[in-house]
Amino acid sequence: MTNKKEYNFPSCPIPISDYPRVLLAHGSGGTLTNQLIDKIFRSVFNNDYLNQSHDGAIAQISANKIAMTTDSYVIHPIFFPGGDIGSLAIHGTVNDLAMCGARPLYLTVGFILEEGLAMEDLWRVANSMQRAAEEAGVQIVSGDTKVVDKGKADGIFINTSGVGVIEHDQSICPQSIKEGDCIILSGDIARHGMAIMAVRESLSFENTIESDSASLSDLVLKLIKSKVTIHCMRDLTRGGLATALVEIAKASSMAIEIDENVISVREDVRGVCEILGIDPLYVANEGRFICFVPESEAKEVLAIMKASPLGNDASIIGHVVKGKKTLVIAKNQIGTTRIVDMLSSEQLPRIC
Amino acid sequence: MTNKKEYNFPSCPIPISDYPRVLLAHGSGGTLTNQLIDKIFRSVFNNDYLNQSHDGAIAQISANKIAMTTDSYVIHPIFFPGGDIGSLAIHGTVNDLAMCGARPLYLTVGFILEEGLAMEDLWRVANSMQRAAEEAGVQIVSGDTKVVDKGKADGIFINTSGVGVIEHDQSICPQSIKEGDCIILSGDIARHGMAIMAVRESLSFENTIESDSASLSDLVLKLIKSKVTIHCMRDLTRGGLATALVEIAKASSMAIEIDENVISVREDVRGVCEILGIDPLYVANEGRFICFVPESEAKEVLAIMKASPLGNDASIIGHVVKGKKTLVIAKNQIGTTRIVDMLSSEQLPRIC
């Protein structure tokens, strides 16, 4: 289930016979910390910024507007079908920058390791991060590693923070959405959350459900380059599509109507949702987003999305309407409507 | 010992009777997450960037060179004489930017909370962060909160990542140091580490040892504004003065000679070091730094430092010499010399 065979990396340069597991001393700032940083992080993330060997990285910026974001990743388990905590930590932060309309450039990485973490797992995660970073066109320019005693963390937590540049004049944010805007969803939903839950609950199916974890940056940069008007974008992570819609409606003082009939959920994903009693609208995705655009430009946006493997199943799922008391309403399969609100209680802990 | 009386904040807006402790649901992305973010983080860190309510923050940058850095804070205990994990997380990251010669501007914050953390503690930490951020002239522009199940973290871990701008043409980094450079230390050492260890070991003294945790940004900006030549700066955190010197010598292929007689260590701090069998040269500081400058400018740098409360005890502790096999040599109290190398084993875990 942990698709180990997908990993095709050189073997770990820290001999497993010497250090099979991460020790507290790997976080002390002494020679073992230096060995860990040199042999794993610097050798894998290798770039000129990181090689400055300084307290931070100094980089050129050619725009006067930047986007900044941060996310910590505490997902359990750390390896799952379709990805791992490393690739997820790159995709998630790159996508947050893309949603701001920025070209992601530089990431920093903060590791919190639990004493006893298998060195081989850290090596695999680092390599997976680098591969995802290369695919997304970003560089890991600065990092930090802490080790806490056994029982005071859970294997590995990763924070990635990112800087991107804004190279256009559009104001892409919730406050820009307007009455009549079309809401375009980039593809089927609920795969990431259900991939994780299927592993945790040891549910097996004919085909393994894989996370949709992916960098959305290329697709978003294509949209921006095409000069279509984009009012707002949001990736559908924790809390899923439903929470994203409610948050945007709340922040913009507008209301939203969606049609559940056109929201695509794969059969097997819907099956796991039903077994676990979970509404797919609330399930985390890591490679899906919604885009608010004027109705007059929806066709063009849809065409650009459909030309990308990450958006070939895109569709218009709803519209922005005048603000009212009920923020988000969904028309469901049998033609009736329901109110979509945020959940208060924990549905899926540690899904990202 | 936790100097609670120093905290003079309004009471927590989330009623303790409703939510005395952080629940897993506070990290679910639903209404409880939104309440936590609105009532604690947004209300305390309140600024225009954060209020964009977006996946990231968009900010203007007026320089074409930026510095970026990241640090995770896992210190135990989270409240200690002279500070707490919140102020430390601001000072540490601001100082890393300052050491790059940057003016710190924007920070992001990632919280990893353990289910069961006292809500009041989170409130105090957030307020302490905001106070430290204001003092250092930085804004917290974007954030993220994760909650993990009880026993899978230790109360609270904080990552802060920062962006600063470089407003001068100097190249301040280990590779810039030159033979003959004076090494100036900004004040007495080993207070932060010993303040933490004294709490952990329940050692009590006539006067409580307080951490030296402080923002070095103002002092560094004064140095830069004065146009003195600075070859390298480094704050003396994890691994202390000794590790910083070895790292810089290694990165620059130069060697360093220091005179231990002029390195100031407070009597009570030296006492704790002796009780615990710890060399003060290796103890973490959070408000001290070293500065490598040409001998001809050392007097001027020293004068600027001494005019600041953060540098009034500054002194020249050594020089850069031609590279050789032994990177750092210290002349000690009785006139003999010793080799200063990195430690391999864990001396003080979770000190920052």
Side-chain angles (χ1 to χ4, degrees), chain A residues 242 245-246 249 255-258 326-330 338-341:
Chain A
L245 290 170
V246 175
I256 286 170
E257 290 176 3
I258 58 166
T326 307
L327 296 173
V328 181
I329 279 192
R338 63 163 173 153
I339 295 170
V340 176
D341 205 350

Side-chain angles (χ1 to χ4, degrees), chain B residues 84-270:
Chain B
D84 57 62
I85 192 171
S87 54
L88 182 69
I90 302 294
H91 295 152
T93 295
V94 160
N95 290 350
D96 279 347
L97 291 172
M99 293 303 113
C100 296
R103 176 188 298 278
L105 287 180
Y106 306 120
L107 299 190
T108 61
V109 179
F111 292 101
I112 298 176
L113 310 178
E114 184 191 9
E115 181 188 13
L117 174 72
M119 193 63 80
E120 187 70 28
D121 284 350
L122 181 60
W123 174 248
R124 285 171 62 199
V125 167
N127 277 279
S128 170
M129 291 185 87
Q130 176 59 18
R131 186 163 62 182
E134 281 171 23
E135 285 168 4
V138 294
Q139 287 183 291
I140 295 165
V141 300
S142 193
D144 175 60
T145 307
K146 294 291 190 305
V147 182
V148 298
D149 16 334
K150 201 160 174 60
K152 300 298 183 188
D154 194 13
I156 177 168
F157 298 148
I158 301 179
N159 175 284
T160 47
S161 300
V163 168
V165 285
I166 313 268
E167 302 169 318
H168 55 82
D169 294 323
Q170 297 204 54
S171 174
I172 299 173
C173 61
Q175 292 76 15
S176 295
I177 71 170
K178 287 187 174 59
E179 195 184 336
D181 276 0
C182 285
I183 303 167
I184 300 176
L185 170 64
S186 67
D188 70 306
I189 61 167
R191 264 196 283 136
H192 175 73
M194 287 306 103
I196 306 302
M197 291 311 286
V199 175
R200 281 203 212 146
E201 306 286 327
S202 303
L203 303 175
S204 64
F205 304 91
E206 209 166 316
N207 299 305
T208 304
I209 298 175
E210 293 203 336
S211 167
D212 62 329
S213 182
S215 160
L216 296 169
S217 177
D218 274 359
L219 174 51
V220 168
L221 290 173
K222 256 179 214 144
L223 287 172
I224 287 171
K225 209 177 153 195
S226 76
K227 300 203 187 287
V228 291
T229 307
I230 301 169
H231 288 156
C232 185
M233 293 184 284
R234 182 70 57 106
D235 57 344
L236 311 176
T237 56
R238 196 167 37 162
L241 173 61
T243 306
L245 291 171
V246 175
E247 281 176 358
I248 291 171
K250 201 174 147 194
S252 63
S253 304
M254 302 295 283
I256 287 169
E257 290 176 2
I258 58 168
D259 181 355
E260 283 194 63
N261 298 307
V262 293
I263 295 171
S264 165
V265 182
R266 252 174 43 177
E267 262 323 297
D268 50 358
V269 173
R270 194 179 292 280

